[in-house]
Amino acid sequence: MKKLLTTIYLVLFALTATAQDTTILNKMRRIERESSQVERYSYLLLDLAGSRLAGSDGAERGYKIAREAMAAMGLSNARVEFARRWHRGGFDIEKSYAAMSVPYYQPFFPAIVGWTGGTEGLRRGEVIVIDDVDSTTFANKYRGKLEGKIVLMPSRATYAMNFSTPSATRISDENLEKLAAAPTPEPTAMQRRNRPPQQRLIDWVRAENPLAVVNCSGDFNNPGVTFFNHQQGDKPIAPEFNLAVESYGLMKRLVENGERVVMELDFKTRFTGNRPINNVVAEIEGTDLKDELVIIGGHIDSYHLSPGAGDDAAGCIVMMEAMRLLKEAGVKPRRTIRIVLWGGEEMGLHGSAGYVEQFVGRRDAPLKEHSKISCYINSDYGPGKFRGIYTQANEAAYPIFATWLAPFKNDGCSTVSNLSVGSTDHISFDIAGIPAFQFISDNLEWGRASHRVTDFADRMIYADTKHNALVVAWLAYCAAMSDEKMPRK
Ligand SMILES: [Zn+2]
């Protein structure tokens, strides 16, 4: 009998809660349908701010534009906040031109390696292809012979014909079920990305004073985008750039067949000192639990050469629109809901790590916010539709999210998975012992666009963005209103 009463009580409680909550959700759904701002925020962050490499002029534009948009939607304390010093400083490209001029003229699409120098005007140089050799062979074969040359670094990359795999996919019901049933991995914090040690061959080449160094990266004449680990105050190294396999392969075959190949280059790059990595922060202040926090975010920085639509302006737009929905709906949350758009994620999670260092601390050395944060919710897996959420091996969060996401069952977004995923800003919180989550989302051309020169606003599917904003607004609302903070691992 007692059990029956408990069951009835729980059912009634659930019904009451659902009835009350659904009113807010329906209200936000209507606001999103009638006055969505996702296309406006997309225009601001992508087209108006441009690419937002950590420390660049574009990053500064992004901070300013995002802060102004947050203030304009009526959020409290909209601010650009220091996260971390940035040892490379600022880097901006002012001119980029590369072509083959001998044996005939062929224009190329170069991706300048971040934090490498310019050519100081139009320069021509002979193209040399070098082999992957040890230091002795390098000394015998190449020492003293690369000065003023354009050096093609070794590459075995080939063009891979795609016969079967679509570049964008929706997650099937079957795969969603597999995710929901996946066993919980060991509840250890994910490690940050390990970067491979730098290839030594390139250091030997750099020491030879070449005119430029060319790497092979990417296909579809869509070069990969990479960086040199410049130290602020050092003299910039000679220009380096990436060419996709088609352009690289053309010159390599010509050289290997005995043709003399000449390129002409005109690169101008600019280094700016003392550009810290910042975050953009704003709040909807809480009421009876206003010292406690629900934090939502994505990263505002991108690579250079494209503005990072899917990676991760999409996440920032979703978070900004979620805050606007909550504000427009007149929500008075119990806990404070804070949006943070992180700087410097692409360079090693600097924005979120800097935030955690300053305000959260570690499990064994907690700072002011450590006991106050209920959870952190992140979006950084591209512009695709959210289909559910990963608990990051936090099993106690599973039934909570299952309940909160139930109203999105008909929208195909109610899956909860105990899997742990990387490697973005939720990891900074996870390491600190704060419940931190990342969404399960459809893959919209992640491989073809992320960290490439093609990640522009055209890749946004705004119906997905609107759905995602509504999901985030709802989860933030639920987390801000519930009696208990999110359980910890
Ligand atoms: Zn990202």
Side-chain angles (χ1 to χ4, degrees):
M1 187 61 185
K2 193 175 171 217
K3 197 178 169 199
L4 181 65
L5 280 175
T6 311
T7 310
I8 290 170
Y9 170 76
L10 281 176
V11 168
L12 282 175
F13 176 78
L15 285 175
T16 319
T18 310
Q20 180 199 351
D21 291 346
T22 308
T23 313
I24 292 289
L25 178 58
N26 290 342
K27 194 172 177 185
M28 294 196 293
R29 229 184 248 281
R30 196 173 61 245
I31 295 167
E32 187 53 44
R33 200 168 48 236
E34 290 172 0
S35 63
S36 173
Q37 294 297 306
V38 298
E39 293 192 41
R40 174 74 188 156
Y41 296 151
S42 173
Y43 168 74
L44 291 176
L45 276 184
L46 289 166
D47 298 332
L48 201 59
S51 69
R52 302 173 308 284
L53 180 70
S56 68
D57 288 3
E60 298 291 315
R61 283 194 298 274
Y63 296 148
K64 181 170 181 287
I65 285 170
R67 193 206 70 78
E68 285 170 359
M70 289 180 194
M73 69 175 86
L75 301 184
S76 305
N77 311 317
R79 60 198 185 272
V80 177
E81 190 172 88
F82 172 84
R84 251 186 185 176
R85 300 221 154 278
W86 178 222
H87 71 273
R88 289 185 203 166
F91 173 80
D92 286 275
I93 295 171
E94 298 188 336
K95 192 177 225 181
S96 172
Y97 167 73
M100 182 174 79
S101 54
V102 175
Y104 52 85
Y105 187 83
Q106 171 67 46
F108 291 140
F109 309 96
I112 295 178
V113 173
W115 289 277
T116 66
T119 54
E120 292 173 26
L122 185 68
R123 301 276 303 275
R124 290 188 180 79
E126 188 181 343
V127 171
I128 291 210
V129 182
I130 65 164
D131 298 323
D132 199 356
V133 291
D134 61 29
S135 63
T136 313
T137 315
F138 183 87
N140 294 335
K141 204 170 169 183
Y142 299 121
R143 187 142 302 152
K145 294 174 186 158
L146 302 181
E147 183 160 357
K149 300 287 197 281
I150 295 170
V151 180
L152 262 60
M153 295 298 289
S155 168
R156 280 191 289 274
T158 52
Y159 182 85
M161 195 73 68
N162 181 358
F163 283 101
S164 57
T165 320
S167 55
T169 51
R170 300 288 184 190
I171 306 176
S172 66
D173 289 348
E174 190 190 344
N175 284 337
L176 285 171
E177 278 166 28
K178 279 185 194 159
L179 283 171
T184 309
E186 283 299 304
T188 48
M190 301 277 295
Q191 293 305 305
R192 291 186 199 167
R193 290 178 285 200
N194 286 324
R195 298 192 181 282
Q198 201 162 33
Q199 202 183 349
R200 295 181 64 202
L201 179 65
I202 199 160
D203 294 330
W204 306 331
V205 171
R206 283 169 183 150
E208 294 296 312
N209 203 17
L211 172 57
V213 174
V214 186
N215 307 296
C216 178
S217 173
D219 55 11
F220 286 104
N221 262 326
N222 170 9
V225 183
T226 55
F227 313 97
F228 173 69
N229 194 17
H230 173 79
Q231 299 285 325
Q232 210 180 125
D234 286 359
K235 183 174 174 286
I237 61 166
E240 296 188 8
F241 58 99
N242 301 332
L243 290 177
V245 67
E246 295 90 343
S247 305
Y248 174 98
L250 166 65
M251 290 193 291
K252 185 167 182 250
R253 291 187 297 273
L254 285 167
V255 169
E256 285 171 351
N257 281 281
E259 291 293 333
R260 179 169 174 267
V261 175
V262 174
M263 285 187 83
E264 53 185 41
L265 310 173
D266 194 350
F267 295 140
K268 190 174 179 198
T269 60
R270 176 162 47 80
F271 294 70
T272 312
N274 297 324
R275 280 270 172 89
I277 287 170
N278 294 323
N279 298 323
V280 189
V281 190
E283 282 125 22
I284 296 173
E285 279 168 14
T287 50
D288 62 319
L289 300 174
K290 68 172 186 292
D291 288 347
E292 295 184 4
L293 291 163
V294 171
I295 306 180
I296 64 173
H299 69 85
I300 193 167
D301 70 310
S302 69
Y303 277 26
H304 56 306
L305 300 172
S306 77
D311 187 13
D312 179 35
C316 296
I317 295 159
V318 162
M319 298 302 159
M320 287 167 67
E321 181 70 346
M323 292 299 274
R324 192 190 68 88
L325 289 175
L326 291 160
K327 190 74 192 168
E328 287 281 306
V331 164
K332 301 272 177 259
R334 299 184 66 196
R335 297 184 178 84
T336 294
I337 301 175
R338 176 176 291 167
I339 178 175
V340 191
L341 304 184
W342 312 107
E345 188 272 351
E346 300 288 12
M347 300 295 118
L349 314 186
H350 291 293
S352 54
Y355 181 97
V356 168
E357 282 161 8
Q358 293 179 80
F359 307 116
V360 183
R362 307 189 308 261
R363 282 173 217 259
D364 58 349
L367 297 175
K368 190 172 157 234
E369 289 185 10
H370 198 279
S371 63
K372 302 290 185 191
I373 301 172
S374 172
C375 60
Y376 170 63
I377 297 174
N378 190 66
S379 171
D380 186 23
Y381 285 171
K385 180 179 177 178
F386 292 165
R387 309 301 303 277
I389 199 160
Y390 296 104
T391 69
Q392 205 70 17
N394 183 348
E395 286 185 340
Y398 194 109
I400 295 171
F401 280 122
T403 307
W404 291 353
L405 285 175
F408 290 96
K409 192 166 185 356
N410 290 339
D411 300 303
C413 180
S414 57
T415 299
V416 184
S417 172
N418 275 328
L419 291 180
S420 276
V421 293
S423 305
T424 173
D425 292 301
H426 66 300
I427 296 298
S428 299
F429 288 84
D430 188 53
I431 289 170
I434 306 296
F437 308 102
Q438 166 75 24
F439 290 96
I440 299 166
S441 54
D442 288 338
N443 165 22
L444 299 189
E445 300 187 329
W446 183 259
R448 193 159 91 179
S450 177
H451 303 172
R452 305 288 280 274
V453 302
T454 50
D455 202 3
F456 282 81
D458 314 77
R459 297 186 56 254
M460 300 294 294
I461 295 182
Y462 293 117
D464 287 14
T465 320
K466 292 173 186 179
H467 159 86
N468 294 353
L470 195 63
V471 171
V472 170
W474 175 245
L475 293 186
Y477 173 77
C478 292
M481 298 305 281
S482 68
D483 288 336
E484 303 294 331
K485 289 204 294 287
M486 185 66 73
R488 298 187 172 189
K489 287 196 267 194

